[in-house]
Amino acid sequence: MARQNPFKPQFGVAPDYFIGRRQILSSLVDAAKDSNSPWRVTLITAPRGVGKTALMADARKLIKNAKFVSVPMSGEFKQAVLESLNEVSQSQEYNVDAKVFSYKATYTEPQSFLAGLRNRLNKNQLTVFSIDEVQGDLDQLAEFVMSYQQLLQDGFNLMLMMAGLPAPIEKLMQQPTTTFLRRAKRVRLGGLLHDEIVASVLQAFTDTGKKISVELAEQLATTSGGYTYLVQLLGYYTWAYTEKMTTQQHLDTAIAESEHMMIDSAITFILRDMSAREVDLLMAMAKYEVACNQDLIKDMQVTKQWVYKYTQRLLGYGVIKQIDKGQTIISIPFLREYLQDDGSNKIPEEYH
């Protein structure tokens, strides 16, 4: 029987390898046992492809003796939460995970949303709400957060994990009814550790009957920049091209394939999530291996305050890193090369 490729370069799918994030996962698991933990309400932010969804999926696997309500954002968010709670409450099993993807607007609430939650929750049973891809119209989510706070004050045993891009999470926190979230634990996901990637690549190849040298695994890890989605892409193509033992040619071909996929599936969408001014600054930074504020001010003919303001936004997106005072580098693999390679012709139309 042919072995299945162990790498999963798909958004929203938890990979079999690179579980990683051990400290974060440990804190989430501990929070499920301790109602006073600041991690009981956790907001996870990161650019696309860094592993927000996979992290929450791993947390759900590790947290025991709980019922899970996993609801992505949709037009009928409140209805989806109540329907999902119906499914969970009817099961006698622990660690039930009700995943709701879409609902038609057929449910009419004869009572308030808060009352609907109360009627479906077991006050003493831990219920973990997992909300992914926070975006769009946040009014229903804001009402959920307000109801969640009231349920906590009433003594319900609850935990909340939410994940999204930085901008919509910040927008949610600025709503007048969600000030409660400002005390939540903020997790800004960074890259995976180099040594962890190397160890996982070696293990994945060994477990599936193929071999890759430490040197090539090191090269793969370096190329990935710790970017979760790219690790899976590189692993997938390298494994696919390898018959028994990976060669440099296999890895080089995998890198070329992965770069195209990164541009099509991640980089273009990362840029679309940004404002025109943020993209302008990022393109100016792409001219330099290390971008200095003074150079950016001169090149763009803007003020020091302007550069600081939009640099902070790019740092929040996780697309750049500050390496020294007034000095930054682009941190998403292949993004700088993409912007340098006649990037003005590749930026979405609305930014021209």
Side-chain angles (χ1 to χ4, degrees):
M1 180 183 292
R3 296 270 189 160
Q4 185 174 12
N5 196 314
F7 299 92
K8 297 179 179 179
Q10 300 170 354
F11 286 100
V13 177
D16 294 332
Y17 293 84
F18 314 112
I19 290 177
R21 318 292 189 191
R22 289 182 178 85
Q23 185 174 355
I24 297 172
L25 287 168
S26 177
S27 296
L28 289 169
V29 171
D30 289 343
K33 305 170 188 175
D34 179 8
S35 61
N36 295 320
S37 170
W39 290 76
R40 269 292 173 120
V41 178
T42 299
L43 305 179
I44 303 167
T45 60
R48 297 179 186 274
V50 174
K52 301 180 295 294
T53 300
L55 176 64
M56 291 204 298
D58 285 339
R60 291 195 299 269
K61 293 176 185 177
L62 295 173
I63 293 173
K64 304 300 181 183
N65 301 325
K67 295 195 175 183
F68 298 90
V69 178
S70 303
V71 186
M73 290 293 294
S74 66
E76 296 299 323
F77 175 76
K78 292 192 298 181
Q79 177 182 315
V81 170
L82 295 176
E83 294 285 358
S84 189
L85 277 172
N86 281 340
E87 180 181 341
V88 168
S89 63
Q90 292 169 8
S91 174
Q92 300 301 312
E93 300 290 330
Y94 284 117
N95 292 79
V96 172
D97 193 349
K99 295 183 179 179
V100 182
F101 295 98
S102 64
Y103 280 92
K104 295 181 180 179
T106 57
Y107 180 80
T108 56
E109 298 178 47
Q111 53 194 331
S112 73
F113 179 58
L114 177 58
L117 292 172
R118 279 201 182 101
N119 292 338
R120 290 165 173 79
L121 287 166
N122 181 332
K123 191 171 187 178
N124 298 315
Q125 165 70 56
L126 174 61
T127 302
V128 180
F129 291 95
S130 175
I131 302 169
D132 199 8
E133 297 299 337
V134 172
Q135 60 186 328
D137 185 355
L138 302 176
D139 289 345
Q140 292 194 39
L141 181 55
E143 184 176 345
F144 167 80
V145 171
M146 184 169 59
S147 299
Y148 180 94
Q149 182 180 12
Q150 182 60 56
L151 291 168
L152 285 182
Q153 293 171 352
D154 293 343
F156 282 80
N157 190 8
L158 305 174
M159 183 170 173
L160 174 62
M161 299 184 294
M162 288 197 289
L165 299 171
I169 291 288
E170 290 296 331
K171 182 179 178 182
L172 175 64
M173 294 177 66
Q174 296 307 316
Q175 301 254 354
T177 59
T178 62
T179 54
F180 154 73
L181 289 180
R182 296 173 193 174
R183 301 189 297 275
K185 176 63 182 178
R186 300 289 301 276
V187 176
R188 296 175 178 86
L189 290 185
L192 296 173
L193 297 177
H194 179 90
D195 290 347
E196 184 176 67
I197 297 171
V198 173
S200 297
V201 167
L202 294 171
Q203 188 66 52
F205 273 70
T206 299
D207 289 349
T208 52
K210 296 187 179 185
K211 293 182 179 180
I212 183 171
S213 68
V214 174
E215 291 75 17
L216 290 180
E218 292 267 4
Q219 187 178 336
L220 186 154
T222 299
T223 303
S224 77
Y227 191 78
T228 307
Y229 173 60
L230 184 53
V231 171
Q232 294 298 318
L233 275 176
L234 290 167
Y236 180 88
Y237 285 117
T238 302
W239 190 95
Y241 290 127
T242 299
E243 293 186 9
K244 294 183 179 180
M245 183 73 183
T246 302
T247 66
Q248 184 68 55
Q249 183 178 358
H250 295 146
L251 181 56
D252 290 343
T253 306
I255 290 172
E257 291 277 3
S258 298
E259 181 175 4
H260 291 306
M261 285 294 294
M262 269 289 292
I263 291 170
D264 293 341
S265 302
I267 287 174
T268 54
F269 291 98
I270 288 171
L271 293 173
R272 287 192 182 119
D273 290 330
M274 297 180 185
S275 71
R277 290 179 177 177
E278 291 162 354
V279 173
D280 286 343
L281 179 58
L282 194 60
M283 290 187 67
M285 289 178 170
K287 297 176 183 178
Y288 303 96
E289 186 173 348
V290 177
C292 299
N293 285 358
Q294 292 302 317
D295 291 329
L296 298 172
I297 291 168
K298 180 180 178 181
D299 292 350
M300 302 184 73
Q301 297 184 346
V302 294
T303 65
K304 177 181 178 181
Q305 291 75 18
W306 190 96
V307 169
Y308 176 80
K309 176 182 177 180
Y310 288 101
T311 296
Q312 291 304 305
R313 292 189 183 182
L314 295 180
L315 287 168
Y317 280 113
V319 297
I320 63 172
K321 290 180 182 178
Q322 186 168 353
I323 61 172
D324 203 345
K325 186 176 181 180
Q327 296 184 339
T328 54
I329 60 172
I330 293 177
S331 57
I332 300 293
F334 302 128
L335 176 55
R336 180 171 176 244
E337 293 81 358
Y338 175 77
L339 294 172
Q340 287 177 320
D341 184 18
D342 198 16
S344 59
N345 293 327
K346 297 180 179 180
I347 302 302
E349 287 289 336
E350 59 267 33
Y351 297 135
H352 285 164

